[in-house]
Amino acid sequence: MSEDVQGQAVEESESSESSEATIAVHWREEGYYPPPPKFIGQANASDPAILDRFAEANFPECFREYADLLEWDEYWHTTLDTSNPPFWKWFAGGKLNASYNCVDRHLARDRNKAALIWVPEPEDTADAVITYQELYRRVNEFAAVLQDLGLQAGDRVTLHMPMVPELPVTMLACARLGVVHSQVFAGFSGGACGGRIADSGSKFLITMDAYYRSGDLLDHKVKADEAVEAARKEGQEVEKVLVWRRFPGQYSAKTPMVEGRDVFVDELLADHRGAVVEPVSMPAEAPLFLMYTSGTTGRPKGCQHSTGGYLSYVAGTSKFYQDIHPDDTYWCMADIGWITGHSYIVYGPLALGTTSVLYEGTPNYPDAGRPWRIAERLGVNIFHTSPTAIRMLRKVGPDEPAKYDFHFKAMTTVGEPIEPEVYRWYYKFVGKGEAIITDTWWQTETGGFLGTGLPGLYAMKPGSCGPAALGIYLAILDENGDPIPKGSGKAGNIVARNPWPGIFQTIWGQPERFVSTYFAKYNKDKDSTDWHDWPYFAGDGAVQSEDGYFRILGRVDDVINVAGHRLGTKELESSALSVEEVAEAAAVPVVDDVRGRVVEMYIALKPGYSADSGVETKVKTAIETDIGKIARPKNIWIVPDMPKTRSGKIMRRVIASVSNFTDVGDITTLANPEVVDKIRDQVQSAKRAKGEEPRELSETEAHEIKTYGEQE
Ligand code: WTA
């Protein structure tokens, strides 16, 4: 399947069979870590009765408990409406406003409490502490600006903002009006942002002039010009670019403002000082935001999340899994540009009225002690981050946490599997043996956690995300849809058998793809309005051990999880293919000590071109322009030919094995087996010359490499 465009071919590919779904996995079972009694004593969920309340017999009404954490303008009449499967409607008939729930309703009691504490990257700059009262002011004033520009409920607006308090302010101002925000990670290129502007049909782009990253004040406005241009090429005109200034009143970018199109937000705000905008009462199923993610094809998927279901789900999971209490100081060290930040920096914690810490910069700037100094100074007691950040901080500063006086009660990890060895460091040195660790498995699509244990009720087990979350009935199915029993040592595809309030509603503009990618595989009757007939196919391989805990093995589609971020190989490859000289391109994962996986790109040139024509640089530039620096391959190998089957399919598992120094397996069925030795010599000697030595892979890593691309 080589098409990177929409259409028939692609849909087939996304729902295609995974020949390797059922594999035997053998690993050493890890020991358990029980939650400390001190934690259990204060936990939001410490009474096992909660498990009964969320048992299948009580579905879907059990989720009232989450929805009741919010204030509704109108109560719903149907908890789960399944009349148009699989486009589920949660809390149908209910009305509420997300901005009101995250801001206004806390004023009566907590007006002077910090809603956000923003830590700028330069360490000599003071934090910005934004109380609920001030957040209310700022959200209202910016909502007035948006309203003045003519924005209304249902309109889409693209945000391309860094980690500054203006980002949650912007999101909440949109939510106040029912305007659908689509925040694009600031590290993505202008081109990638433009594609998302066009896909969502946004007429407005909201950005910032500059922000700090690893000590530099980056010009970010330049990306807005590229984004507008890229959107125009796809037929979408951007009418206005609203530019927040990192230092209000002072422009920090070199790129000129475009007359008539670009406006400084601080200037617009001056006209709306003190404005109050009534929160618009939105139907529960009205879209709250879009969050784009990668899939099998080159076209990103705009995952559409609802207002009532989503907000209920992130409030409930923040309460029970992050164990957020009103007086906690909670820090999710992630970026709001990803789903983690939407759910667990902004909407979940603010819905609960807690204090959420926001950090602008990189975790190891200016050194690996930075996060621990922040935690010490602010008295952070709940800490949430990714395995990549933990691996990196462990690598560059294993002894740093011990130097600071901070104490976490709860820590979570998200986005990738965490290696047991890394887990143990996190537990001992960061948690100081006092904190529980909750490993949370979920996705952009799922809105909130799906696989994770209640921290006061379940022991932790390194390497496993734990059992299913409350009200989620997970299963592992084989290719025929038959359940694989727990403890069998066999892996398969993990599914959620039931809908839940946080599930995305559709892929923006691509409802058929929503059905074919996530439901077609295991649905036997497309007319059935019984949710039991619509298991949600997550696209991850997993295995369940005897104790019911799940271990996630990674994606079964063409997605590489780099530092916890999903990169579609088709997006990378089609970008490489845009370079004139390139005939073929294949992206493969390489196991990496810090980033989990990194990408290596193999390139074959068109006849008549030679490798010394700067192709490598051109490919790198193309990827940085189309996607962003985060997608830059670690290595680009220009090879004489790709190993292929007789039908012409590139054997990605063979090149992935070469890149990972593992056995290439059976190559007798290749059309050109002789090329494998050549590639191996070329690539492995070049890697050795760069000091990249072979490294032993765990069983699950080895499995991923050995079968990479086989599901196509
Ligand atoms: C992977 C991030 C193992 C998985 C919230 C999933 C994980 C993809 C875990 C979603 C975990 C996420 N253990 N793997 N705890 N959490 N993943 O959409 O492959 O950026 O499908 O959402 O990350 O990535 P996404």
Side-chain angles (χ1 to χ4, degrees):
M1 196 64 48
S2 61
E3 294 300 302
D4 62 347
V5 290
Q6 314 137 40
Q8 201 52 40
V10 152
E11 263 149 40
E12 260 170 48
S13 145
E14 288 209 334
S15 56
S16 74
E17 304 266 295
S18 163
S19 56
E20 275 290 337
T22 312
I23 48 149
V25 186
H26 309 279
W27 62 71
R28 199 163 58 88
E29 279 294 338
E30 298 289 332
Y32 295 99
Y33 290 70
K38 199 169 149 200
F39 178 85
I40 301 174
Q42 60 80 65
N44 280 331
S46 55
D47 178 354
I50 194 170
L51 302 173
D52 298 331
R53 295 205 297 278
F54 281 85
E56 199 163 339
N58 297 325
F59 180 85
E61 298 305 325
C62 53
F63 280 114
R64 278 173 182 266
E65 188 163 338
Y66 283 7
D68 283 340
L69 294 171
L70 307 178
E71 258 181 53
W72 294 77
D73 304 331
E74 252 170 65
Y75 217 60
W76 58 92
H77 51 68
T78 309
T79 303
L80 172 63
D81 172 351
T82 62
S83 59
N84 182 23
F87 301 90
W88 316 121
K89 286 197 178 102
W90 278 91
F91 310 120
K95 286 184 139 191
L96 77 171
N97 182 279
S99 174
Y100 175 86
N101 270 283
C102 292
V103 187
D104 308 36
R105 69 169 174 143
H106 305 309
L107 293 180
R109 221 189 49 204
D110 287 323
R111 162 184 315 273
N112 293 322
K113 171 175 175 177
L116 301 169
I117 301 180
W118 178 57
V119 182
E121 195 190 68
E123 210 167 358
D124 54 5
T125 315
D127 302 335
V129 178
I130 300 171
T131 61
Y132 275 98
Q133 166 66 26
E134 188 179 357
L135 185 61
Y136 171 78
R137 273 270 158 255
R138 295 184 64 176
V139 167
N140 271 282
E141 288 171 0
F142 192 56
V145 167
L146 297 177
Q147 201 170 40
D148 216 33
L149 291 165
L151 282 162
Q152 290 176 1
D155 292 343
R156 279 84 50 213
V157 166
T158 298
L159 283 46
H160 195 200
M161 294 188 59
M163 279 294 287
V164 290
E166 288 79 1
L167 174 51
V169 165
T170 303
M171 291 160 67
L172 293 165
C174 288
R176 199 165 190 86
L177 301 172
V179 168
V180 181
H181 59 75
S182 167
Q183 153 72 3
V184 177
F185 172 57
F188 274 141
S189 67
C193 178
R196 288 154 174 78
I197 291 174
D199 192 85
S200 61
S202 300
K203 293 191 191 123
F204 291 82
L205 170 63
I206 305 179
T207 188
M208 180 165 261
D209 60 346
Y211 64 100
Y212 282 99
R213 197 81 197 153
S214 300
D216 296 322
L217 185 61
L218 304 181
D219 181 343
H220 187 61
K221 161 65 168 59
V222 62
K223 289 187 177 175
D225 298 299
E226 292 160 4
V228 169
E229 201 42 51
R232 182 172 295 144
K233 281 202 189 115
E234 293 189 32
Q236 179 67 36
E237 276 305 318
V238 174
E239 289 170 15
K240 282 265 175 291
V241 178
L242 308 189
V243 184
W244 289 94
R245 286 192 272 197
R246 175 65 175 70
F247 300 98
Q250 171 191 329
Y251 188 44
S252 304
K254 292 205 180 67
T255 337
M257 296 287 278
V258 175
E259 185 68 40
R261 185 198 74 186
D262 300 352
V263 245
F264 290 127
V265 174
D266 48 295
E267 289 176 1
L268 295 177
L269 281 170
D271 300 333
H272 294 88
R273 190 157 43 79
V276 173
V277 175
E278 258 314 285
V280 179
S281 192
M282 299 299 293
E285 66 270 23
L288 178 62
F289 66 87
L290 305 180
M291 169 61 63
Y292 280 84
T293 190
S294 298
T296 301
T297 77
R299 181 176 175 192
K301 304 183 271 200
C303 296
Q304 176 186 317
H305 282 283
S306 72
T307 307
Y310 171 82
L311 199 63
S312 302
Y313 198 67
V314 296
T317 49
S318 294
K319 175 168 177 185
F320 294 123
Y321 291 94
Q322 312 267 27
D323 201 49
I324 291 179
H325 293 58
D327 293 330
D328 287 325
T329 303
Y330 165 88
W331 183 15
C332 170
M333 192 175 73
D335 196 292
I336 299 177
W338 309 106
I339 191 70
T340 300
H342 275 52
S343 301
Y344 298 113
I345 297 179
V346 181
Y347 285 113
L350 296 184
L352 295 181
T354 195
T355 300
S356 184
V357 176
L358 239 71
Y359 173 53
E360 178 180 33
T362 37
N364 59 340
Y365 182 82
D367 58 67
R370 186 67 190 277
W372 321 129
R373 286 197 291 280
I374 295 172
E376 177 186 71
R377 188 161 53 75
L378 302 180
V380 172
N381 65 340
I382 306 178
F383 184 67
H384 185 35
T385 198
S386 67
T388 287
I390 301 166
R391 286 189 291 258
M392 194 257 285
L393 291 165
R394 170 175 180 245
K395 190 168 177 186
V396 297
D399 306 324
E400 287 300 307
K403 297 181 188 160
Y404 301 96
D405 180 23
F406 63 89
H407 297 275
F408 297 146
K409 68 165 181 174
M411 307 191 296
T412 32
T413 73
V414 58
E416 315 152 69
I418 177 162
E419 298 75 4
E421 196 192 334
V422 178
Y423 187 104
R424 283 188 283 269
W425 178 81
Y426 193 40
Y427 181 79
K428 190 165 167 202
F429 292 93
V430 180
K432 306 184 179 183
E434 307 161 337
I436 55 99
I437 301 180
T438 311
D439 185 338
T440 61
W441 168 74
W442 58 299
Q443 312 175 302
T444 303
E445 293 87 337
T446 71
F449 308 145
L450 283 199
T452 181
L454 278 167
L457 289 173
Y458 287 90
M460 311 159 252
K461 188 166 77 170
S464 297
C465 66
L470 289 171
I472 310 288
Y473 317 116
L474 297 179
I476 298 185
L477 303 183
D478 67 13
E479 281 308 314
N480 304 318
D482 294 322
I484 297 179
K486 65 181 181 184
S488 66
K490 283 195 175 147
N493 295 314
I494 190 162
V495 299
R497 291 194 291 102
N498 62 310
W500 65 98
I503 188 173
F504 69 138
Q505 302 174 288
T506 187
I507 301 176
W508 181 264
Q510 307 179 73
E512 334 67 50
R513 192 177 176 194
F514 173 73
V515 180
S516 64
T517 305
Y518 301 97
F519 298 96
K521 190 173 179 78
Y522 290 126
N523 167 253
K524 296 198 178 77
D525 172 8
K526 65 181 179 32
D527 297 319
S528 170
T529 54
D530 178 353
W531 60 260
H532 292 87
D533 291 325
W534 294 91
Y536 168 78
F537 172 71
D540 277 325
V543 64
Q544 190 181 23
S545 49
E546 193 55 48
D547 57 15
Y549 283 33
F550 292 92
R551 185 176 185 122
I552 305 297
L553 302 173
R555 305 289 313 173
V556 299
D557 58 7
D558 295 332
V559 168
I560 304 180
N561 193 336
V562 178
H565 306 314
R566 280 157 68 174
L567 297 178
T569 52
K570 288 287 182 290
E571 284 172 77
L572 291 155
E573 292 167 5
S574 56
S575 177
L577 285 165
S578 70
V579 173
E580 165 69 23
E581 294 88 337
V582 175
E584 288 175 313
V588 295
V590 177
V591 175
D592 183 83
D593 281 343
V594 172
R595 295 159 72 79
R597 300 288 177 277
V598 291
V599 174
E600 289 196 3
M601 180 73 86
Y602 283 70
I603 299 284
L605 299 176
K606 289 179 188 156
Y609 288 109
S610 74
D612 45 54
S613 55
V615 179
E616 195 180 321
T617 316
K618 287 186 201 165
V619 169
K620 243 180 215 158
T621 311
I623 290 173
E624 285 179 16
T625 311
D626 293 342
I627 308 174
K629 289 204 172 73
I630 51 156
R632 195 184 336 176
K634 177 161 191 202
N635 291 306
I636 294 173
W637 307 116
I638 299 174
V639 293
D641 195 7
M642 299 280 188
K644 282 187 205 133
T645 60
R646 293 202 174 86
S647 61
K649 191 184 119 181
I650 299 175
M651 293 292 277
R652 288 175 166 76
R653 69 166 173 82
V654 172
I655 50 181
S657 302
V658 167
S659 278
N660 285 281
F661 293 94
T662 54
D663 178 16
V664 294
D666 181 12
I667 52 167
T668 54
T669 57
L670 293 192
N672 53 351
E674 68 291 345
V675 79
V676 176
D677 281 339
K678 280 194 210 151
I679 294 178
R680 190 194 292 111
D681 288 347
Q682 175 195 342
V683 168
Q684 294 186 349
S685 58
K687 282 171 89 100
R688 285 206 167 85
K690 294 168 100 183
E692 291 179 34
E693 287 300 325
R695 137 201 206 300
E696 209 187 317
L697 303 190
S698 73
E699 276 132 357
T700 49
E701 290 162 348
H703 169 76
E704 177 183 329
I705 301 305
K706 196 169 82 199
T707 59
Y708 187 70
E710 291 301 278
Q711 68 282 357
E712 274 176 84

